[in-house]
């Protein structure tokens, strides 16, 4: 028990949680935007793979780090455009399109990797983002190390969450996007372009997912491996529901989930680790997420028009 | 020997960057470059599809198929039985006598080198606390961890080990986080079974021991020693057997042993002169004994756990 | 005929709209002048909503043109219509329920790229307009928590905030209580005085008479008549709409029989914003129509739910034919011979994507002849649906058509048919004619009376006092979950009932 | 310009658009092959040949389609009731676990009794796996998309634990896999020497039974009504929660049959990679089939055929094998678009 408190009170533990949470924050914000506009984006896992590859490849071929992030963003937006075109104006099944895009994005990335780097070796490394201690803030006890000695991309994740919250809840554009997810007919009746808004949300959201992927190759690590996204996209889908489609709560969910993850890594080395199989630790964050959902369950928050296609003038 | 190149096909369940598979793939490419074989391969094959791919290659007339059948032992033997003219050289948990006459088995028996790398680690650790991050606790991983731990104990009887499995072959960020946690928990040498572990060691200024492949070039200040698997002896022996028409069920695992050149300790490189002489002496002594067949490292395939 | 009003603000010329084989509007022309109120009349499915959607730019007409303030309007562009000063209150509200009133009003009022929402200024403006027009509503309430009347106000506020100069109201009173309707008309009068022009759709002819300056009648998508309201009559309007004379069912004396359903001191829990019942005792007798009136939100939903099997008494007892059922669910209610016409025909009454056959057998599918030992007999079901379609004049492409394609009136006829054809002993008729045209309405009333005459006990719940007074043999009033005594036919005037509805009668009685 | 539905699309549309989709897929595959330096000319033909060019190829396609039929049916049944079961993968694995627990010698019965018992036990295990999220949904209103999705990870870790613990094959020399099931617990092969087994026959039977259930029985009527309008179903007197529970049992059971069929038919034992995502692909199969149970069979064979054919093509053409998944994904997206366009037309 005291071991648990020691872990929970250490700055390095929370620093790890924030690091682990960062890619989830980007991608979950992306998913949140899509779902707020009424589109479930199951392409998230594949789009993260694309972003991880594109950002890393861009830097490897000579671009700067931030331009690399931009390339990742653009690659995600390209797949977002495909997703949006199929699901919004054509109103096709969001399940098939999403899973299909995950398959397409993943395999296309691997194919591109093979063609770009046919010689088999350890994948090359890039000069990834280094941690940057924010002067002043990083000297604060506990939070200084946990929050303010991260890489710039982690700071960007938090800024993104704040920006998403601001745009969604404080601007006319955000209102229109949210209304698209609640009742697209109401949006159309105000003369606003539902199709354009939904497509835009999916494209931008997909771009953020790709940046989440790029975090893995440009900040958490410094090269690209197949399958390294490893289910993080699916977690983000859960995080959005956990966060009741609100950016703040979703961010909190991401940090909590990451904290569970960081905790299970550490608990494996305690006495518990000798008693429980390692799978129990790996499963803990998922089981705790489900339990958290049961405690929090508030179904009313689901965007009413989520997964409901809209065509103007249809009965 | 008057023979033209034979046709060899590789079938792998993971992409060829994966450490274990990369050793086979590189050996095959080397043989192809020498002109001994014509080589093609299929990667990332799900075990569900594995027998089909085996059969497709066999039907297409390749002389030898190399790959890994840990997850499809039974079905793979069925297919091999149907193509008696094709040689199957397969990574497998079983022994040769369990299958058809044209299926030989191998595995990465590089415990000798892992043991020697452990001796070096034992001499370099100050805290006596060593972190080990693995993908899954399978025999190919476990036996090397055990051998490494045995090596460490030669120098530090009091050493303690932190062992974790991340449940994935490819998740360097996760492996890195796990390593960070171990370093925070006192480890000053990391056993890098997965990508990502050496990175954590490098960032935190502790040391790492490599495994299967040599990554010192990427981490010159960090990776002290590595136990390397050389698949070439296995591959070359199998090619020769096929060319001679003598390929039969056999355990090629022996070719991975140190005395056959199947494994080695990577050169100290950047750590030349930084490892205590006492350890180097023991390494030299044991290496000679191993090669002379006077010393053998225990092969222990059970899951290692944290502790001393 | 339009003298006395300002310049022409709207001109629809030769509008034709087709939906596949259906021609919803054919060569419709219409003009509206400044400060004028024009009522658009027509049967269900006559094409009124379609015409308004064309005017508002939600549909693009196949032929014809729209001219606003002398400028021709690009087709299929609601933005242009809004900017030209057209505001529309749709037949089915276009509100996002999980957003606040203010959010709903703000939607589309500012450029999407504006960095600020400007809600503060808007809130003030909404307050001011609400004051000026008597449209009281809390700007920060979530729409899901509003009553229909309040939602109506939000819709009108949406138009006023945008400085609409032409207001389209598509059946604004269909779901309003009489009091709410009166409030609405007061608002409209203020708006007209301020120079607004109004196009107004309603099936309630007394409202048309009271509010409009001119009526335009559509039948089968064409304009069949146009007249100054002052120079026509309700009967005339009804005749023009339907193409034949309409006579309200003649009142005939009831022959009350035994008590079929009895509530003894029943209390039910409140649900959300809806009041529960508080110690209600009531009897439904065979061969008698029991009418129930009250201001929306005073427990009608609870009472209807109780009879329908959706609700169970928290205290007190419910007796069916003298016995208290052990289990009380919609299924047992159907088994007990209760026919139920739900208030919300889209939400509860029908499954939009089911065809007419499947909707017709919704309550009976588990019984012979619709199924045997768990196997559905489509042939019997189709025959049954066809019988209802024929007997109740349900206008539809056929029994295999999805019911969502039907107009509201025809949907209601199918529900009525599936209830009536089982010859139920008890009928719950909850808002049975909401949104129906005069022809359909008369038909439904006739059917209810016919059921009464063959011995059914009928509970009629309606917000239309005239309807309840005309049909009921006994009337009860609900107020805050309490039930008034039963008033015999002819003993109460609308004014006296109104007093009970506001709760005054209860105080006097106590 | 806008899209509007066509009530009764012509045969030309119904055949033409899917054909266009296949053409588009072929073009994409050819372009990618060219990118990798292969001659694109034969690519399309190689895919067809690899999927159905020989008895072996065809049976391999059907073999790979077998689990997809089960998971496709599982999803189709659940989605009809708007029970968003994303957890067919977990249910598949639990079905496999049940098969292995009882089939490795615990029940030493002849095949005629053992196989049905194993199938039922597998279905029960799969049903249980979906009943938990269904209960959380009906009782607490917890979104089942998320719970079923997360349980996939948990189930796989649970299987991993079993295979490294209680169910580990002592003869497996350390590799995490279960003991092989006994001979009586093996579904026989349909053709000697080839992999296709009677699991495929079972899948076809299941599809027909589900179709009959959905269209001809009151249970199917209730499931569809609940899915289309829950409030109306409740008002009409349908036992809504019971319908959801029944649906969950059926759906979870069908997905579990995929696990049963893979263990008893194809593999003979259980490993953690028994399924390369059959549960997720089942969602695609179900939606491609527009949730029609018989369509699921066609869609599953289509999906399996494209993958098997494109995978074989990658070897014949000498291009990276990832092209198989790209081809499959392109085919899926093109086909769902084609199915959509079949009943839509552009107006002005
Ligand atoms: N989007 C649509 N698709 C197909 N048919 C439609 C559509 N909208 C309207 N219709 C058909 O056009 C006709 C006119 O419908 P409309 O809604 O304009 O009638 P209405 O006069 O408003 O009737 P009500 O009084 O019931 O509201 C009806 O037959 C209707 O079924
Ligand atoms: N089509 C509709 N759209 C929106 N709201 C509706 C619709 N039909 C009914 N409603 C309203 O939903 C509200 C919820 O019930 P409320 O508590 O306000 O009243 P109530 O007790 O149901 O009494 P009543 O139903 O007679 O108005 C009601 O005002 C009801 O009229
Ligand atoms: Mg209308
Ligand atoms: Mg109500």
């Amino acid at each position: 028990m005291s071991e648990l408190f020691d872990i929970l009170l250490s700055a390095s533990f929370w620093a790890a949680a924030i690091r682990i949470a960062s890619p989830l924050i980007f991608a979950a914000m992306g998913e949140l935007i899509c779902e707020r506009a009424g589109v479930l984006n199951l392409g998230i896992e594949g789009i993260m793979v694309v972003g991880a590859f594109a950002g890393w490849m861009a830097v490897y071929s000579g671009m700067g780090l931030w331009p690399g992030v931009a390339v990742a963003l653009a690659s995600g937006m390209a797949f977002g455009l495909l997703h949006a075109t199929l699901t919004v104006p054509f109103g096709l099944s969001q399940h098939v399109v999403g899973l299909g895009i995950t398959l397409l994005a993943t395999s296309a990335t691997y194919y591109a990797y093979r063609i770009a780097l046919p010689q088999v070796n350890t994948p090359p490394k890039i000069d990834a983002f280094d941690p940057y201690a924010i002067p002043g803030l990083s000297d604060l006890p506990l939070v200084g190390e946990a929050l303010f000695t991260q890489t710039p991309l982690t700071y960007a994740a938090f800024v993104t969450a704040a920006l998403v919250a601001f745009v969604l809840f404080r601007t006319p554009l955000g209102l229109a996007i949210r209304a698209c997810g609640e009742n697209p007919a109401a949006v159309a009746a105000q003369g606003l372009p539902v199709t354009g808004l939904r497509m835009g949300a999916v494209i931008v959201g997909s771009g953020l997912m790709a940046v989440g992927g790029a975090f893995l190759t440009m900040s958490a690590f410094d090269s690209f491996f197949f399958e390294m996204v490893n289910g993080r996209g699916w977690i983000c889908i859960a995080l959005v529901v956990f966060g009741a489609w609100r950016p703040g709560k979703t961010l909190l969910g991401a940090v909590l989930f990451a904290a569970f993850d960081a905790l299970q890594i550490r608990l494996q080395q305690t006495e518990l680790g000798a008693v429980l199989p390692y799978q129990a630790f790996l499963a803990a964050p998922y089981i705790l997420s489900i339990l958290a959902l049961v405690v929090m369950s508030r179904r009313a928050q689901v965007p009413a028009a989520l997964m409901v296609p809209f065509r103007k003038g249809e009965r | 020997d008057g023979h033209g190149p034979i046709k060899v096909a590789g079938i792998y369940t993971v992409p060829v960057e994966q450490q274990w598979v990369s050793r086979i793939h590189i050996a095959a490419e080397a043989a192809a470059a020498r002109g001994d074989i014509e080589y093609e391969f299929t990667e990332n094959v799900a075990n569900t599809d594995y027998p089909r791919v085996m059969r497709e290659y066999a039907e297409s007339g390749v002389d030898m198929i190399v790959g890994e059948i840990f997850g499809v032992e039974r079905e793979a033997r069925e297919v091999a039985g149907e193509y008696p003219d094709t040689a199957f050289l397969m990574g497998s948990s079983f022994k040769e006598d369990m299958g058809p006459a044209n299926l030989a088995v191998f595995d990465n028996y590089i415990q000798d080198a892992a043991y020697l790398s452990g001796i070096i680690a034992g001499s370099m650790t100050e805290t006596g606390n060593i972190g080990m991050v693995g993908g899954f606790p399978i025999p190919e991983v476990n036996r090397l961890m055990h051998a490494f731990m045995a090596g460490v104990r030669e120098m530090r009887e009091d050493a303690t080990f932190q062992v974790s499995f991340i449940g994935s072959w490819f998740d360097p960020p996760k492996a890195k986080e796990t390593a960070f946690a171990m370093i925070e928990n006192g480890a000053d040498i990391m056993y890098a079974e997965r990508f990502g572990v050496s990175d954590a060691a490098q960032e935190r200024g502790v040391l790492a021991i490599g495994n299967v492949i040599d990554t010192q070039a990427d981490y010159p200040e960090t990776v002290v020693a590595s136990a390397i698997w050389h698949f070439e002896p296995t591959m070359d022996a199998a090619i020769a057997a096929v060319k001679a028409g003598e390929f039969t069920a056999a355990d090629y695992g022996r070719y991975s042993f140190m005395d056959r050149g199947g494994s080695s300790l990577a050169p100290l490189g950047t750590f030349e002169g930084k490892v205590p002489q006492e350890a180097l002496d023991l390494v030299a002594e044991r290496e000679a004994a191993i090669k002379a067949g006077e010393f053998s490292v225990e092969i222990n395939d059970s899951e290692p756990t944290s502790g001393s | 005929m339009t003298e006395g009003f300002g310049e022409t603000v709207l001109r629809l010329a030769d509008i034709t709209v087709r939906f596949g084989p259906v021609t919803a509007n054919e060569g419709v022309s219409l003009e509206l002048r400044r400060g004028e109120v024009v009522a658009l009349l027509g049967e269900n499915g006559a094409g009124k909503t379609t015409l308004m959607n064309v005017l508002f730019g939600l549909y693009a007409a196949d032929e014809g043109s729209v001219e606003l303030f002398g400028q021709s309007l690009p087709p299929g562009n609601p933005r242009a219509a809004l900017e030209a000063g057209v505001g529309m209150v749709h037949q089915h509200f276009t509100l996002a329920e999980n957003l606040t009133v203010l959010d709903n009003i703000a939607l589309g009022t500012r450029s999407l790229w504006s960095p600020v929402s400007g809600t503060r200024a808007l809130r003030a403006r909404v307050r001011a307009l609400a004051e000026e027009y008597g449209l009281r509503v809390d700007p920060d309430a979530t729409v899901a928590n509003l009553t229909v009347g309040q939602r109506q106000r939000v819709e009108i506020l949406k138009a006023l905030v945008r400085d609409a100069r032409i207001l389209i109201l598509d059946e604004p009173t269909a779901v309003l209580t009489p009091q709410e309707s009166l409030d609405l008309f007061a608002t409209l009068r203020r708006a007209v005085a301020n120079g607004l022009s109004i196009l107004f759709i309603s099936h309630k002819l007394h409202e048309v008479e009271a509010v409009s300056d001119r009526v335009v009648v559509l039948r089968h998508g064409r304009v069949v008549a146009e007249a100054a309201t002052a120079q026509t009559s309700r009967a005339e309007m009804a005749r023009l709409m339907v193409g034949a004379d309409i006579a309200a069912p003649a009142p005939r004396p009831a022959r009350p029989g035994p008590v079929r359903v009895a509530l003894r001191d029943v209390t039910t829990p409140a649900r959300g914003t809806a009041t529960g019942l508080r110690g209600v005792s009531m009897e439904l007798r065979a061969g008698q129509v029991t009418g129930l009136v009250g201001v929306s939100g005073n427990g009608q939903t609870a009472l209807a739910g109780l009879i329908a099997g959706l609700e169970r008494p928290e205290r007190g007892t419910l007796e069916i034919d003298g016995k208290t059922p052990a289990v009380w669910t919609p299924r047992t209610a159907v088994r007990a011979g209760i026919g139920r016409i739900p208030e919300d025909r889209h939400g509860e009454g029908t499954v939009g994507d089911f065809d007419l056959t499947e909707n017709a057998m919704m309550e009976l599918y588990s019984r012979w002849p619709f199924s045997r030992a768990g196997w559905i007999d489509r042939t019997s079901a189709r025959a049954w649906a066809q019988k209802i379609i024929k007997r109740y004049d349900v206008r539809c492409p056929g029994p295999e058509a999805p019911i969502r394609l039907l107009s509201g009136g025809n949907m209601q006829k199918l529900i009525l048919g599936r209830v009536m054809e089982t010859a139920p002993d008890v009928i719950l008729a909850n808002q049975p004619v909401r949104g129906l045209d005069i022809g359909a309405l008369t038909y439904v009333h006739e059917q209810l009376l016919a059921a009464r005459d063959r011995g059914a006990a009928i509970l009629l719940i309606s917000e239309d006092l005239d309807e309840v007074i005309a049909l009921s043999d006994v009337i009860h009033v609900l107020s805050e979950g309490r039930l008034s005594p039963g008033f015999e036919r002819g003993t109460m005037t609308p004014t006296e009932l109104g007093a009970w509805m506001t709760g005054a009668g209860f105080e006097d009685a106590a | 310009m806008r899209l509007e539905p066509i009530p009764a699309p012509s045969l030309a549309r119904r055949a033409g658009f899917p054909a266009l989709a296949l053409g588009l897929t072929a073009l994409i595959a050819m372009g990618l092959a060219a990118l990798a330096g292969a001659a694109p000319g034969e690519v399309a033909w190689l895919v067809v040949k690899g999927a159905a060019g020989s008895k072996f190829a065809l049976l391999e396609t059907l073999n790979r389609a077998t689990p997809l039929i089960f998971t496709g049916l599982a999803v189709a049944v659940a989605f009809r009731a708007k029970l968003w079961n994303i957890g067919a993968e977990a249910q598949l694995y639990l079905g496999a676990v049940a098969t292995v627990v009882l089939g490795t010698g615990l029940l030493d019965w002849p095949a005629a009794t053992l196989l049905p018992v194993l199938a039922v036990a597998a279905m029960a295990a799969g049903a249980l796996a979906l009943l938990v999220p269904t209960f959380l949904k009906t009782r607490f209103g917890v979104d089942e998309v998320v719970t079923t999705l997360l349980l996939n990870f948990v189930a796989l870790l649970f299987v991993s634990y079993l295979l490294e613990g209680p169910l580990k094959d002592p003869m497996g020399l350390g590799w995490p896999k279960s003991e092989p099931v006994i001979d009586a617990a093996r579904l026989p092969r349909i053709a000697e020497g080839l992999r296709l087994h009677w699991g495929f026959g079972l899948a076809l039977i299941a599809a027909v039974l589900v179709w009959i259930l959905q269209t001809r029985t009151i249970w199917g009527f209730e499931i569809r009504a609940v899915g289309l309008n829950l409030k109306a179903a409740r008002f009409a007197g349908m036992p809504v929660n019971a319908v959801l529970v029944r649906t969950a049992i059926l759906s979870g059971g069908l997905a579990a049959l995929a696990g049963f069929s893979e263990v008893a038919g194809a593999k003979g034992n259980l490993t953690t990679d028994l399924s390369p995502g059959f549960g997720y692909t089942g969602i695609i199969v179900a939606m491609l089939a527009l949730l029609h149970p018989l369509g699921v069979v066609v869609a599953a064979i289509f999906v399996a055929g494209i993958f098997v054919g494109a995978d074989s093509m990658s070897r014949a053409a000498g291009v990276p094998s990832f092209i198989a998944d790209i081809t499959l994904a392109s085919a899926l997206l093109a086909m769902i678009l084609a199915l959509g366009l079949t009943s839509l037309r552009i107006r002005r």
Side-chain angles (χ1 to χ4, degrees), chain A residues 315, chain C residues 43-50 91-92 170-171 201 203:
Chain A
R315 249 198 195 174
Chain C
E43 286 180 284
N44 293 122
K48 306 178 293 292
T49 298
T50 305
Q91 181 168 7
H92 304 287
D170 193 351
E171 298 196 33
I201 300 175
H203 294 296

Side-chain angles (χ1 to χ4, degrees), chain D residues 59-188:
Chain D
L59 293 187
E60 278 294 338
T61 293
L62 297 184
N63 181 59
R64 208 172 197 282
T66 301
L68 293 180
I69 298 176
F70 285 119
T71 54
L73 287 173
V75 173
V77 164
F79 278 25
R80 269 265 184 250
K82 290 224 168 67
L83 181 68
W84 304 112
N85 176 15
I86 315 291
E89 191 81 359
Q91 294 137 29
L92 179 155
Y93 272 105
L94 287 194
V97 166
T99 310
V100 163
V101 166
L102 299 178
T104 46
L106 193 68
L107 303 180
D108 194 5
W109 299 343
T113 44
L114 182 56
L115 281 171
V117 168
L118 290 182
V120 170
M123 290 183 79
L128 198 68
L130 187 50
L131 278 175
V132 172
T134 308
F135 170 75
L136 294 181
K137 174 192 169 91
T138 53
R139 179 74 182 73
F140 299 105
V142 181
D143 185 40
E144 74 276 18
V145 173
V146 174
T147 45
T148 53
L149 182 66
L150 291 180
L151 282 177
N152 287 339
F153 299 100
V154 177
L156 201 59
L157 285 164
F158 176 62
V159 169
S160 163
Y161 158 73
L162 290 177
L163 294 184
E164 283 169 21
L167 288 186
K168 185 170 188 165
D169 181 3
M171 305 290 288
L173 299 180
W175 191 269
K177 61 184 158 199
S178 78
E179 271 182 71
V181 294
I182 60 177
D183 284 345
R186 293 301 303 259
L187 285 165

